[in-house]
Structures are given as C-alpha cells and as structure tokens.
C-alpha cells in the first residue's frame, strides 16, 4: 500500500499540475493571471467522509464569497482522503451544487470538478478528452461567476477552448500527460 502523502506533497503535486498542465498547456487560458497574482487559494482538506467535506466546502464557499477577489479570486479544495472513487465523487457533485443553492450563492459562485479518474459522460475511461479534467487528487474548484464572465468576455472565441483542449490531450496522450506531471 502506498504511503499517504503529506499536505506539503499534495500541494506540491497540485501546483505542478497547475503550472505544467492547466497553465503550461493553456487548458484554462484564464488561470495564469490569477495564479501569477497569488489569487488562487489551495486548501488541502483533512476530511475523511463526504459529510465532513461538504461542511468544509460550505466554509470555503462562504470564505470566498466574503473575501475580495483581489485577495482570493478562486479556491481549490483538494481532498485526497475522501471520494477517491470517481462515481462516488461524481455523485457528491449534486450535494455540492445543492450547497451552493442552499447558501444562496447560485449565480455568485460555482463548483468545477477535477479527479484523477475523471470521465465525461459518454466517453471511455481512456479517452483523451477526460485528461482535461484529471488532477493528481480529487479537487473541487470554487469559481466566482463574475470572474468567469469577465474572462470569457475578454477571450476571443471562448467556445474553441474545449475543442483545442481535446486536441492538445489527444496529441499528448495519457503517457505524455503522466510524464508531464512526473518530471
């Protein structure tokens, strides 16, 4: 059995993924600016149950709501000890969306999802397009709706991002993606 990674190792792995994949491959053309300005909050959760994670997600949503975007524009809630099974993780996303609604944050904040075994509906597990949402650990990405809207409005042809990312991942392949993150 593999040793449980330390919080420092989890954060280092997430930063490597952000720097080499998300920013380095330009999977999210909006990430570089907020990362360079240190406006990305990375939280390593110690939750070991879905209910504990949901409680922490609520705390992080409220914190992001109450924090100026100039200080923290987005939050990555990384949870290496819970929801390692993608189907369980995928089911949890309904509870996450329900929490956004319960906190009256719909239209204010949204939760995007990343997982080591991410699989889009209608794809095979090894399809390259799944790599666009694969991260070293399960991760909930808390985004400000107004920041997303501004970034999309300023980006030429935002609808082309998904298609470009799929082509990038098809060219790179699973082995290339793994090598990128393990250098």
């Amino acid at each position: 059995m593999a040793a449980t990674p330390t919080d420092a190792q989890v954060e280092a792995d997430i930063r490597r993924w952000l720097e080499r994949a998300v920013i380095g491959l330009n999977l999210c053309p909006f990430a570089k600016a907020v990362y360079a300005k240190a406006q990305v909050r990375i939280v390593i959760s110690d939750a070991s149950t879905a209910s504990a994670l949901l409680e922490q997600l609520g705390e992080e949503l409220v914190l992001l709501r109450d924090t100026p975007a100039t200080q923290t524009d987005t939050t990555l809630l990384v949870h290496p000890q819970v929801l390692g099974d993608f189907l369980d993780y995928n089911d949890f996303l309904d509870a996450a969306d329900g929490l956004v609604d319960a906190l009256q944050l719909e239209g204010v904040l949204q939760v995007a999802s990343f997982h080591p075994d991410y699989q889009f509906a209608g794809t095979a597990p090894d399809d390259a397009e799944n790599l666009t949402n694969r991260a070293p650990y399960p991760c909930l990405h808390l985004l400000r709706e107004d920041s997303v809207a501004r970034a999309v409005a300023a980006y030429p042809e935002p609808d082309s991002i998904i298609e470009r990312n799929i082509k990038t991942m098809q060219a790179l392949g699973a082995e290339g993606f793994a090598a990128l993150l393990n250098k």
Side-chain angles (χ1 to χ4, degrees):
M1 178 181 262
T4 302
T6 64
D7 287 358
Q9 184 60 54
V10 171
E11 183 171 344
D13 292 343
I14 289 294
R15 286 188 182 281
R16 184 178 314 108
W17 166 70
L18 282 170
E19 293 165 3
R20 294 180 181 179
V22 177
I23 295 168
L25 296 175
N26 201 30
L27 297 177
C28 177
F30 321 120
K32 184 177 182 177
V34 293
Y35 191 73
K37 294 177 195 172
Q39 294 171 328
V40 177
R41 176 175 160 83
I42 299 173
V43 178
I44 311 305
S45 174
D46 62 356
S48 58
T49 65
S51 60
L53 179 61
L54 192 63
E55 183 178 327
Q56 188 173 22
L57 174 60
E59 293 167 2
E60 290 299 326
L61 286 165
V62 169
L63 182 65
L64 186 60
R65 177 198 68 196
D66 296 344
T67 303
T70 54
Q71 182 179 336
T72 302
D73 192 63
T74 190
T75 299
L76 293 172
L77 178 56
V78 186
H79 45 97
Q81 298 178 49
V82 64
L83 302 175
D85 178 86
F86 178 69
L87 295 178
D88 293 340
Y89 172 83
N90 201 43
D91 289 344
F92 179 85
L93 296 176
D94 288 335
D97 289 340
L99 182 58
V100 170
D101 290 343
L103 293 171
Q104 300 179 337
L105 294 173
E106 186 173 353
V108 178
L109 300 177
Q110 63 177 268
V111 179
S113 54
F114 297 91
H115 193 279
D117 298 318
Y118 199 94
Q119 183 177 349
F120 289 103
T123 65
D126 58 352
D127 285 353
E129 63 202 75
N130 295 320
L131 295 172
T132 64
N133 282 55
R134 291 206 175 154
Y137 305 96
C139 182
L140 300 168
H141 184 189
L142 288 53
L143 297 147
R144 296 174 188 271
E145 293 271 356
D146 59 346
S147 294
V148 171
R150 275 193 310 275
V152 168
Y155 190 81
E157 300 183 46
D159 293 338
S160 68
I161 295 170
I162 294 171
E163 184 178 318
R164 186 196 68 230
N165 287 350
I166 291 171
K167 287 180 181 176
T168 297
M169 290 307 189
Q170 286 171 335
L172 189 61
E175 291 168 7
F177 184 67
L180 179 75
L181 299 182
N182 293 317
K183 286 183 182 176

